[in-house]
Amino acid sequence: MTVQDSKRNSVVEIHFLSEIVSLQEGDVTRDCEIAQLVRPGQLLVSIPVSPAETAPGSPKKQKGVQVRLVAASNCEVSAGGTSVLSTVAGYPHTDQQKEDGQQVVSVSVTPLVTVAEDGMKACLTLYPPVSGTPEFLIEDLELLLNEAGVVQGIDQRFLKKELERVIKERQPVADLVVAHGMQPIHGLNAHLRMEIEMGSVPGKIRGDGSIDFKERRMFVSVEEGQLIATKIKETKGVPGKTVLGQAIPQKEGRDITVRVSEDALYNEEDRTVRAVKAGVVSIVKDNTIKVSSKQTISGDIDFNTGNIYSKNAVEISGSVKQDFVVAVRGDVLIGGDVQSATISSHGNLVVKGGIVGAASNVNIRGDVDLNFIEKGTVHAGGNVLIRKSSYYSTIIADGNITGDQKTKIVGGVLVCSGSLIAGDIGSSSASPASITVGTDVKRFQHYQELHRKVIELEGETALWLQRHGQEAEKSVKMLGWEQELAKVRAELHCLNLIPGSPVDSMSEDFTIDDDAEIVVSGQIFQGTKLRIGNVTRTLALNQCKKRFKIDKNTKKIVDEPF
């Protein structure tokens, strides 16, 4: 039909119907224009022109006024510029204004179907049928959804209910979620199900993000032949699917290799672990079971006892004094402090007191549970639990580093493959701490060695040039240094620190697989150096109650309220 719009003082040919309905918004009623539903490729607006004006690019005039058509969203202008067609199913709208003596007619289409960027939901905008057009059928909407590519998770009952409501109440609605994608169900990792009561593992991050701070139960006794654990196999998981029917791959569960000590036996057929002889059990890094005898030492480790070397689990009621060594294969429980001493264990370590002194060196294959550490060094193959504080210390863990809301970290270097959780990090009067998470510990140590090598070589070349002048640039020694420096820099450039990634894959698009993060329930001070995987950030301002993680779109460290 041809519509004369007196307000716009222009005549164009409109190829869709529209009308005004009363829209109720709470206690307010207002008029709203609705249009009929159009299909992709449908003609929306055209300019009646004479044959002389049909050539592309020629002026299009109506009643002596030059008219130009503009395609806004979801439509396109024909090659000759005399008509506009829809590119999607939806509801058209026109707008007219004068520009430089021209009558400009802009046409847009509100889409019937919109799909979220991640493909996990589809929404409908529904207008009631315009008078003189047939009512929609549920089958029509399902067909239009399919034409828009939506084939998964359509809620047919909800769709029918909302369609009937729109028709009955004659009220348009927008952004109705009518289809949902299916998230993948990730596989479960293989694990050891304990058949004896071992208690909870302190410092372990639960599924809801909370942390278990109970004391570790140590030195659990077993009898000869007793069943200790059963290996539960990994599961594959189930892939997900977007509303467009695109598959979303799931993460398959990972297998584990069960390891046992000489006094325990793993049966591959029934996947059980049993004690070969009576003793106490130690669980290391979730996949290693040790059975050993228990040795109890009353008092301190000092000149009266000498160094302790043992195949057993050891309980020490006192402290380990300066320069003494405790090296055992089982778990270690120290009732006092580690005072500039050396502790090593193939099991787990619990220190009821603290680790103090720059000469303190602790190397544990399993978990470490301590109250505080001051200027000491800890290497753990599992998790590290800091119950109170860490001052200017080096803590490296293949698992997580965790504390509670009162745990304070001041200065030092903390590195872990998993996540770090603490109360406060830093101080207004302290040197900034360096916090690294989501990083393969061995690769990170190699990364630091390469950095030191670069600094060393750059220093040597600068000193050589200073002593011998620019002519020395062509010397054999200088060329050797430059070649070595180029080699080290190339290795640094390719080294990927993310656990589980190919070692030399930094040039590839390899993102973090696990959700490693830094969680601060108190305050973190400016200057703190953060690293998550291959990405670094130095805080410019003090911040409170923040969670730091990688944004997988920008691949930068971002923070959000905790």
Side-chain angles (χ1 to χ4, degrees):
M1 68 175 183
T2 300
V3 178
Q4 172 79 41
D5 190 334
S6 58
K7 291 190 296 181
R8 294 166 182 165
N9 193 27
S10 174
V11 175
V12 291
E13 191 167 351
I14 306 295
H15 298 273
F16 61 88
L17 298 174
S18 64
E19 66 181 1
I20 303 298
V21 296
S22 295
L23 186 63
Q24 190 73 34
E25 295 177 340
D27 297 331
V28 179
T29 301
R30 66 179 180 86
D31 289 340
C32 173
E33 183 181 18
I34 62 171
Q36 74 176 102
L37 179 65
V38 298
R39 300 293 187 94
Q42 186 168 330
L43 180 63
L44 304 177
V45 175
S46 64
I47 306 171
V49 294
S50 65
E53 295 175 315
T54 56
S58 61
K60 312 298 184 293
K61 293 186 177 181
Q62 189 67 4
K63 292 190 174 182
V65 178
Q66 188 170 330
V67 180
R68 179 165 60 91
L69 294 179
V70 175
S73 56
N74 303 309
C75 52
E76 60 185 6
V77 177
S78 65
T82 60
S83 60
V84 177
L85 295 86
S86 176
T87 58
V88 300
Y91 307 97
H93 172 76
T94 62
D95 183 53
Q96 300 185 40
Q97 57 185 354
K98 285 189 175 181
E99 291 182 6
D100 300 326
Q102 288 185 327
Q103 189 77 10
V104 179
V105 181
S106 177
V107 186
S108 61
V109 175
T110 299
L112 173 74
V113 182
T114 55
V115 177
E117 188 174 344
D118 63 1
M120 294 308 291
K121 69 178 180 180
C123 298
L124 277 187
T125 294
L126 282 178
Y127 290 0
V130 173
S131 300
T133 62
E135 289 189 354
F136 304 142
L137 298 175
I138 185 68
E139 293 79 10
D140 297 329
L141 287 183
E142 289 177 348
L143 178 61
L144 288 168
L145 280 166
N146 292 161
E147 289 178 356
V150 179
V151 295
Q152 168 70 31
I154 299 173
D155 189 337
Q156 294 176 324
R157 293 180 64 181
F158 177 74
L159 183 60
K160 182 180 179 183
K161 176 185 172 184
E162 289 301 311
L163 176 59
E164 291 173 349
R165 182 172 69 86
V166 168
I167 293 173
K168 180 181 178 181
E169 298 178 3
R170 295 198 58 74
Q171 297 286 299
V173 293
D175 299 325
L176 283 173
V177 181
V178 295
H180 296 269
M182 183 177 71
Q183 293 287 357
I185 301 173
H186 299 307
L188 300 176
N189 294 335
H191 64 281
L192 288 173
R193 184 183 69 207
M194 301 308 299
E195 308 294 356
I196 58 175
E197 181 55 50
M198 293 295 294
S200 57
V201 178
K204 186 172 184 178
I205 303 173
R206 300 187 182 102
D208 62 0
S210 63
I211 302 172
D212 192 331
F213 286 101
K214 294 177 183 176
E215 291 193 0
R216 178 184 288 270
R217 188 180 180 198
M218 301 186 75
F219 312 125
V220 176
S221 298
V222 291
E223 301 298 326
E224 181 180 345
Q226 184 173 347
L227 177 63
I228 299 173
T230 302
K231 177 185 174 181
I232 306 301
K233 296 181 71 174
E234 75 278 13
T235 61
K236 294 285 188 181
V238 180
K241 193 172 283 188
T242 69
V243 295
L244 302 176
Q246 299 164 335
I248 305 173
Q250 82 279 24
K251 294 178 185 176
E252 294 187 1
R254 295 190 295 268
D255 193 12
I256 60 170
T257 300
V258 178
R259 305 182 189 279
V260 295
S261 66
E262 296 174 359
D263 297 331
L265 179 66
Y266 176 58
N267 187 320
E268 290 279 358
E269 292 185 2
D270 61 6
R271 303 188 304 279
T272 58
V273 179
R274 294 181 181 274
V276 173
K277 70 175 188 178
V280 294
V281 176
S282 173
I283 310 298
V284 181
K285 294 178 68 173
D286 297 328
N287 73 324
T288 301
I289 295 180
K290 296 177 177 292
V291 176
S292 60
S293 299
K294 180 190 173 187
Q295 181 179 353
T296 302
I297 300 172
S298 298
D300 298 333
I301 303 301
D302 54 19
F303 288 104
N304 292 319
T305 62
N307 295 327
I308 303 297
Y309 299 96
S310 175
K311 294 181 179 181
N312 303 320
V314 176
E315 180 177 2
I316 301 166
S317 63
S319 299
V320 183
K321 297 297 186 176
Q322 183 175 347
D323 296 332
F324 283 90
V325 176
V326 174
V328 304
R329 292 192 179 181
D331 288 348
V332 183
L333 172 60
I334 299 174
D337 300 328
V338 175
Q339 302 171 0
S340 294
T342 299
I343 311 293
S344 66
S345 166
H346 292 188
N348 306 294
L349 169 67
V350 174
V351 182
K352 294 290 188 180
I355 298 173
V356 293
S360 289
N361 194 328
V362 175
N363 201 321
I364 307 297
R365 289 192 184 179
D367 299 339
V368 175
D369 181 342
L370 55 90
N371 257 343
F372 67 91
I373 178 170
E374 185 174 337
K375 296 183 178 179
T377 299
V378 170
H379 288 78
N383 302 316
V384 174
L385 172 60
I386 307 169
R387 294 183 180 269
K388 291 183 179 178
S389 60
S390 170
Y391 285 89
Y392 296 101
S393 297
T394 298
I395 299 177
I396 299 174
D398 267 337
N400 302 307
I401 299 176
T402 55
D404 66 9
Q405 295 180 356
K406 296 180 181 178
T407 300
K408 188 175 184 66
I409 296 170
V410 177
V413 176
L414 291 86
V415 181
C416 64
S417 297
S419 296
L420 181 141
I421 300 174
D424 295 318
I425 298 178
S427 160
S428 59
S429 58
S431 300
S434 173
I435 308 295
T436 296
V437 305
T439 301
D440 185 288
V441 169
K442 290 183 179 178
R443 293 186 200 177
F444 184 69
Q445 290 172 324
H446 182 52
Y447 176 86
Q448 290 179 308
E449 290 170 3
L450 291 174
H451 258 293
R452 284 192 289 269
K453 188 67 175 176
V454 167
I455 293 170
E456 178 186 325
L457 288 169
E458 287 177 341
E460 288 177 346
T461 55
L463 184 60
W464 182 262
L465 288 173
Q466 185 179 352
R467 287 178 177 177
H468 302 283
Q470 295 301 316
E471 291 298 321
E473 288 185 357
K474 299 177 183 180
S475 68
V476 174
K477 184 181 286 288
M478 192 69 178
L479 291 173
W481 279 335
E482 288 179 349
Q483 289 174 357
E484 188 177 358
L485 188 57
K487 183 179 177 181
V488 175
R489 283 174 173 163
E491 188 176 354
L492 263 176
H493 179 73
C494 294
L495 183 60
N496 195 332
L497 302 179
I498 298 171
S501 67
V503 177
D504 55 353
S505 61
M506 262 299 287
S507 57
E508 302 173 15
D509 185 18
F510 199 100
T511 56
I512 289 180
D513 182 38
D514 296 317
D515 296 323
E517 58 185 9
I518 299 166
V519 180
V520 182
S521 57
Q523 186 172 16
I524 182 168
F525 283 77
Q526 67 179 23
T528 302
K529 299 171 184 178
L530 307 181
R531 172 184 286 275
I532 303 179
N534 299 312
V535 186
T536 60
R537 174 182 171 185
T538 300
L539 292 189
L541 300 170
N542 297 346
Q543 299 199 45
C544 293
K545 296 184 178 180
K546 286 295 178 71
R547 183 189 306 271
F548 299 89
K549 61 182 184 179
I550 292 288
D551 183 298
K552 295 191 178 177
N553 293 321
T554 64
K555 296 183 182 177
K556 293 182 178 179
I557 297 176
V558 297
D559 54 82
E560 58 184 34
F562 170 66

